[in-house]
Amino acid sequence: MSPNMAEWEEWVIVPADVHKKDRVGFRSYWNKFLSAQLFNKVKQANHLKDWEKWNVKYVNNKLAFTGHHKKNLRAGEKGEVNQTNVLEAWELWQVIPKRRR
């Protein structure tokens, strides 16, 4: 994590389904939600509907997030975030508690 990370670069994980504890949404600083799109893309949406809900899976003390299209959220090698069919190191996330300001 960069010490230069700005407040608008943080995401808050929110519950997305009262019946499924392992389903979350990602809310941005701008009050938008990370949305799983077609063709392995992601974008921000104004709502928390099916495409904005992510299933959580624990793998080796990290988290994997699978979207509506059964693809895993991924940190791309050039800094982009997208989705993929594989589940390897690039698709595993460490959740860091929100920084106090």
Side-chain angles (χ1 to χ4, degrees):
M1 178 173 80
S2 168
N4 302 322
M5 184 174 69
E7 188 174 2
W8 55 85
E9 295 173 302
E10 295 178 6
W11 292 80
V12 176
I13 297 176
V14 298
D17 192 326
V18 294
H19 302 292
K20 295 181 180 179
K21 301 292 183 203
D22 62 346
R23 200 138 189 224
V24 300
F26 294 93
R27 188 179 65 226
S28 75
Y29 174 82
W30 311 106
N31 240 3
K32 294 185 180 261
F33 295 91
L34 188 66
S35 180
Q37 299 295 298
L38 297 173
F39 310 111
N40 299 336
K41 306 276 185 198
V42 294
K43 72 172 193 173
Q44 293 185 51
N46 293 321
H47 48 260
L48 181 58
K49 296 183 180 177
D50 286 344
W51 285 25
E52 294 74 45
K53 295 177 182 179
W54 299 82
N55 293 313
V56 181
K57 180 179 178 180
Y58 290 89
V59 179
N60 300 329
N61 295 322
K62 293 195 176 181
L63 299 174
F65 300 98
T66 305
H68 181 75
H69 308 291
K70 310 289 187 239
K71 307 250 181 176
N72 298 305
L73 187 63
R74 165 183 189 271
E77 55 195 47
K78 296 180 182 173
E80 77 281 5
V81 175
N82 53 40
Q83 302 173 86
T84 183
N85 291 322
V86 299
L87 183 54
E88 295 177 0
W90 294 90
E91 296 78 41
L92 298 178
W93 300 82
Q94 179 180 0
V95 176
I96 300 168
K98 186 168 176 62
R99 295 185 296 170
R100 300 213 184 265
R101 306 235 185 266

